[in-house]
Structures are given as structure tokens and as C-alpha cells.
Amino acid sequence: MSEPRVVIGASHAGSELAARLRQLDPSTPVMLLGEEPVLPYQRPPLSKSWIGNPVAGIEGLLIRNAEAYAAAGIETRTGARVVEIDRCGRRIRLESGESLPYRQLAIATGARARKLLLPGSEHAEHAPNVHCVRTLADAQRLRPQFVPGARIAIIGGGYIGLELAALAVKTGLAPTVLEAQPRVLARVTAPQVSAFYEQVHRDAGVDLRSDVRITGFELRADGAVGSVLWQDANGVDQRTPTDIVIVGVGVEPNIELAETAGLACGSGGLIVDEHCRTSDPAIVAAGDCTSRPVPGQAGTARIESVPNAAEQARTAAATLCGELQPCNSVPWFWSDQYDLKLQTVGLSRGHDEVAVRGDMAGRSFTAFYLRAGVLIATDSVNRPADFMVARKLVAAGLHIDAAALADADAPLKRLVAA
Ligand SMILES: Cc1cc2nc3c(=O)[nH]c(=O)nc-3n(C[C@H](O)[C@H](O)[C@H](O)COP(=O)(O)OP(=O)(O)OC[C@H]3O[C@@H](n4cnc5c(N)ncnc54)[C@H](O)[C@@H]3O)c2cc1C
């Protein structure tokens, strides 16, 4: 039997990559290696519903079941952490010491939750009620504590922190959100959109504080955190008593394996071109661990989303099989909070103008982000039709009049035609 194509990292990108490789070239074996103890599963439902449902199993989360991998001819190995890539010898070494040959390699090692680095926070980090939510194991550890009546302090007002706040409200917990920036979602949305989400959460009963600086934790006698200590925007010391702490301050890419193997890394990720090639022609990469070219943006960027992981995976598989299909679509993403479905297109950074179409008070609107008159990104809340058209408009990279975008009486479709 010929040496396999090996995929390191078994999640959204790795699972899709392995499946695509077998579709494109059924004669070459494929091995999918993941360090987690379970087959690849969907992460988005964890913060949107799974943690709030005490009886949900993991079957509904699996991207494919064991039979589907077997039927596709993919050898899966769980609990298999790769610790070294020997590019000259084309071999990888597992933590168990086992060494495996590869014909070609795909890296899909994703990202891990960033830690909150505070002086003296080491004890709190290991406290039984301090959590992050990146993996199923994280969610399984949190779920028994995520019960009606519990107080929950969420550090970080990004998408995952806000989704967990919404789920906490729905489940009957009392959430506080502590955000370091002057507004939530500051890295990714316009002030109007942040203000909208802040109001929605406050109306729902979330105690939302922005512009705060976390200064420490008070531990209880049993080693659990009893209070989060922080300073408000005026430098006044504050204290939030709590039963649960969530640290939701972003992620870091898992690129140490690639870096040690000498693959080019930068801009916060493993650098790939539009064909998902790394600096080694026999190695491709996909998903959250990569930094990729994005249409309309200078340099490369790391995109953290399921659609990006899947698209890059398909491109990477095609590249390994000798078919060049560039991954050059505009990134998109979604987030569900309460009755609000947010769908974003493009990257809004660097925008200098925002136009809003629709009715924020009525919880149905689209924010359009322009840079020098060119539409670069949109955020649609409960407006799936706008989102569909926006994908085409942003991809086209057109100059569009902000007033036309804001005019809800002028159908967006007409702008595409124009
Ligand atoms: C709670 C939550 C909610 C989310 N909601 C959304 C959403 O609504 N919409 C959206 O688009 N995205 C969402 N995301 C982001 C999305 O899940 C990620 O973009 C996606 O998981 C990226 O997939 P990936 O395969 O690139 O990386 P990952 O999912 O990070 O998987 C990488 C895998 O590689 C494994 N691995 C790492 N190193 C090694 C090694 N050395 N050896 C073997 N295995 C290794 C890791 O253990 C992991 O299993 C959410 C994420 C979370 C955590």
C-alpha cells in the first residue's frame, strides 16, 4: 500500500480535508489524526445551545460518524497528538513515540483559547469554576455548573462571550459581562452595532460593563473563585461575586508544530497562499491555524470561522491532488444571540464610513462598511436576503454610494445589477 496523505488536526478543517482528498483521489490512503478524544464535532452549537441543555449528547454534534469515515476509506485516530514533523524524511512523530510516514501532509491544527494573564492569577486559572469554551471537554466541564440561579461572570464581550451571556439568560443564570474595550465587539463591528448588542443584552437582564480592567480574583476556601475583581473606567475598584467565571478573550493559533518544522509563520498564523500551500510544496494547511490572503485586504489575515475552514480544506485537498482551485472568497461568519441571527461578510477593519439600512429598534438591519467609497464588509441582523446580496456586492469590491445602501426602498439586488 502507498504511503498515506496525513491530515493533522481533526475538526472542521481536518474532517473536510480528509473527505475531499478521498473524493478526489480514492486510490491514495488518508489518515486523520486528532489529539482530542472524540471524532470531529461542530463547535458553534456549544455556546449557542449545547451547554444549556443538560441531556444533549455528542452524537448530534459529530460532523461525520465513525461509519461515514470508514465508508469513505479514511483512517481516523483520536487521542493522537503529533509532536514533530520531519520534512526531510517525510515522517511525523506522535506523542506516544510512534513514527508514521507521509506522502503529503495537511496541517489543520486550529486554535486554542487564549489565557488571561494576570499577576497572581495562576491559582484562579485552575479553579474548578473557571472555564473557557473551545472544546467539547471544556463544555462538558462547564455544563453541570451552568444551572438556573447560578451567577456567571463572563470576561470578554466578543461573539462567544455574548452568545454565552444570551444562553445564560435563556437557561435562568444571572450573567455579568466584563469587557476591556470601551464597547463590546469593538474589534469587529461599528459603534452602532456594538451599541445595539449592548442594549439588547441589558434589556435581557445582563449586567454588562465595558472599559474595565480585571485586577484579580478572590478565592473561596474550597479553591473556587468567589469574586472577580476589576476597575471601572474611572479607576474605581469593583467586585463581582460569582459562581462561575468564563474567560472568553480570544484564541491563539496552534502553530508551534509548523514553526518548529521551519514552515513560514507570521501575521498570527501559518502562512498559506490562495491554494493553501505553505512554504513547503508537500505541505498544505487550512482553517483557524492559517493566515491567508483575503480579497481586498493587504497581506494575509487569520479568519476564525467554520465556512473559512471548510473552503480552505476543499482548496487544500485539491492542491494536494494536483488541481489548483484558489480559495479567494470573501470571509463570512454568523452568530446567534436571543432571536438575533447576525451574518457578517468581509472584514470591516480600516473602514471610514458606515451606512445602516433597516430598523435597529425593530431588530432587523444591515450595517455596510465602506473604505474610500468601496464596500468592504457588512453585518446583517435578521436580514438573510441582505446577507445573500451583500456577499456578491463585497466580493465585487465596488464603489457604492452610502446613501443608496442605506435606502431601504431601493432594492439591494438592483445595486448588483448596476
Ligand atoms: C464555542 C464556539 C462557537 C463558535 N461559533 C462559530 C459560529 O457561530 N460561526 C463560525 O463560523 N465559527 C464559529 N466558531 C469558530 C469555529 O468553530 C472555528 O473557526 C473552527 O472550529 C475552525 O476549525 P479548524 O478545524 O480550523 O480548527 P479547530 O476547530 O481549532 O480544530 C483544530 C483541531 O486540531 C487539533 N490539534 C491541534 N494540534 C494538534 C496536534 N499537534 N496533533 C493532533 N491534533 C492537533 C485540536 O485539538 C483540534 O481538535 C466557534 C468556535 C467556538 C469554540
Side-chain angles (χ1 to χ4, degrees):
M1 198 197 253
S2 64
E3 284 167 357
R5 292 187 168 116
V6 171
V7 181
I8 307 176
S11 178
H12 288 278
S15 171
E16 183 68 20
L17 224 158
R20 196 69 175 167
L21 282 171
R22 290 291 297 169
Q23 281 169 5
L24 293 173
D25 177 8
S27 61
T28 303
V30 170
M31 188 183 282
L32 177 61
L33 303 172
E35 68 180 335
E36 292 186 62
V38 281
L39 287 172
Y41 55 89
Q42 304 180 55
R43 298 193 196 279
L46 298 179
S47 53
K48 295 170 181 64
S49 56
W50 197 87
I51 287 167
N53 180 348
V55 295
I58 69 161
E59 298 72 26
L61 293 177
L62 293 182
I63 294 173
R64 295 175 171 81
N65 61 24
E67 292 73 36
Y69 290 103
I74 299 166
E75 181 183 346
T76 54
R77 290 229 206 154
T78 53
R81 178 173 171 74
V82 178
V83 291
E84 191 184 347
I85 300 170
D86 169 8
R87 288 164 55 201
C88 297
R90 294 211 176 189
R91 297 190 76 85
I92 52 167
R93 189 164 56 83
L94 302 184
E95 200 167 37
S96 62
E98 190 179 357
S99 166
L100 299 168
Y102 68 84
R103 171 177 158 178
Q104 290 170 314
L105 193 63
I107 299 179
T109 47
R112 58 179 178 270
R114 184 175 291 136
K115 291 187 174 172
L116 187 68
L117 295 174
L118 284 179
S121 67
E122 307 81 27
H123 296 299
E125 197 186 307
H126 301 292
N129 62 343
V130 174
H131 303 267
C132 62
V133 179
R134 178 72 194 176
T135 65
L136 179 62
D138 295 336
Q140 285 169 324
R141 181 173 173 266
L142 168 61
R143 191 165 67 170
Q145 297 172 24
F146 200 89
V147 292
R151 298 163 300 176
I152 181 166
I154 299 170
I155 299 175
Y159 287 124
I160 290 180
L162 294 183
E163 286 183 356
L164 285 167
L167 185 59
V169 168
K170 189 177 165 198
T171 314
L173 289 83
T176 299
V177 172
L178 299 167
E179 166 57 48
Q181 297 292 320
R183 57 189 175 90
V184 300
L185 302 174
R187 201 168 54 89
V188 286
T189 61
Q192 299 93 309
V193 180
S194 296
F196 168 79
Y197 272 99
E198 287 173 0
Q199 194 58 51
V200 165
H201 279 280
R202 289 195 172 116
D203 289 349
V206 177
D207 182 5
L208 194 152
R209 310 297 181 103
S210 51
D211 220 351
V212 311
R213 194 168 71 83
I214 307 295
T215 52
F217 300 97
E218 252 173 33
L219 293 185
R220 298 193 314 231
D222 63 359
V225 167
S227 298
V228 180
L229 308 176
W230 50 281
Q231 274 181 354
D232 65 20
N234 301 316
V236 178
D237 288 329
Q238 304 282 354
R239 181 173 161 273
T240 297
T242 192
D243 302 304
I244 307 169
V245 178
I246 305 278
V247 178
V249 294
V251 296
E252 288 174 355
N254 294 319
I255 53 173
E256 293 78 4
L257 186 65
E259 267 180 327
T260 311
L263 298 174
C265 294
S267 309
L270 168 55
I271 293 178
V272 293
D273 66 9
E274 70 272 33
H275 299 293
C276 294
R277 291 178 292 213
T278 67
S279 51
D280 180 334
I283 304 181
V284 293
D288 277 20
C289 65
T290 67
S291 190
R292 56 159 272 206
V294 176
Q297 301 275 340
T300 59
R302 214 164 55 71
I303 310 293
E304 296 162 17
S305 81
V306 169
N308 177 67
E311 193 196 350
Q312 278 194 302
R314 290 191 286 273
T315 292
T319 299
L320 288 186
C321 296
E323 290 177 22
L324 292 188
Q325 293 171 8
C327 171
N328 52 15
S329 67
V330 175
W332 66 274
F333 179 84
W334 79 95
S335 173
D336 298 333
Q337 297 166 45
Y338 309 103
D339 59 331
L340 307 173
K341 178 154 217 73
L342 170 72
Q343 293 167 298
T344 77
V345 183
L347 303 180
S348 63
R349 69 181 174 209
H351 71 269
D352 51 28
E353 197 175 3
V354 179
V356 177
R357 161 183 292 243
D359 178 15
M360 282 188 148
R363 297 161 94 94
S364 166
F365 67 91
T366 294
F368 298 89
Y369 299 82
L370 298 111
R371 186 173 57 211
V374 174
L375 181 66
I376 56 168
T378 61
D379 289 332
S380 297
V381 171
N382 291 343
R383 283 175 90 92
D386 282 4
F387 164 71
M388 296 305 286
V389 182
R391 288 181 72 179
K392 294 186 185 141
L393 287 173
V394 174
L398 301 171
H399 276 86
I400 306 184
D401 180 26
L405 290 169
D407 180 1
D409 294 331
L412 273 185
K413 273 190 185 158
R414 215 182 288 157
L415 295 175
V416 181

